[in-house]
Amino acid sequence: MTEKVNALYEMLKKVQEPKGYYFSNDSERTFELLAALILNRDRYGYMCCPCRLASGNREADSDIICPCIYRTPDVKEYGSCYCNLYVSQEWNDGAIPHPYVPERRPPEKFPY
């Protein structure tokens, strides 16, 4: 599993950093989240957000396939996505506070 997590880390870092999205410098948390993304990919066939409950229906979960559609507004407003996987450089540098990021996913999208 470690090789898969490292490969995913390198691939996503290469793609996301030029867009201004960085992995949290809490590497333990980052690698736990990446491992959970891989687990969800194996379980559902797509990498849905590890911090949210997925339905197993790709169409219903399309908003929470990582990077979820909520990442951009979360990072813009709070400096971090809901999971703290993707953050701004300012967040990593400690130049901005690290508030709790509230859930943006509408309740009607919850699978329960």
Side-chain angles (χ1 to χ4, degrees):
M1 178 65 108
T2 303
E3 289 178 29
K4 287 182 181 181
V5 172
N6 287 334
L8 182 60
Y9 176 87
E10 291 302 326
M11 186 270 295
L12 291 175
K13 181 177 177 172
K14 186 174 159 182
V15 170
Q16 298 301 326
E17 281 191 359
K19 297 176 185 179
Y21 299 102
Y22 300 87
F23 285 127
S24 167
N25 55 13
D26 180 347
S27 59
E28 184 177 342
R29 171 88 172 141
T30 296
F31 281 90
E32 286 173 357
L33 290 168
L34 292 172
L37 282 172
I38 292 168
L39 179 67
N40 283 346
R41 182 182 63 200
D42 293 345
R43 182 182 292 154
Y44 302 116
Y46 51 94
M47 291 195 305
C48 53
C49 178
C51 299
R52 294 180 169 105
L53 187 59
S55 69
N57 176 311
R58 186 182 184 98
E59 186 177 333
D61 293 338
S62 65
D63 63 321
I64 60 168
I65 295 175
C66 190
C68 73
I69 67 167
Y70 311 106
R71 177 187 70 171
T72 298
D74 283 349
V75 172
K76 184 177 182 179
E77 186 172 347
Y78 300 102
S80 171
C81 72
Y82 182 67
C83 297
N84 301 135
L85 177 63
Y86 289 110
V87 301
S88 67
Q89 187 63 56
E90 295 80 13
W91 195 93
N92 264 344
D93 292 344
I96 60 173
H98 295 177
Y100 171 77
V101 179
E103 174 63 271
R104 287 184 192 265
R105 193 175 200 211
E108 62 270 13
K109 294 280 239 168
F110 293 1
Y112 44 84

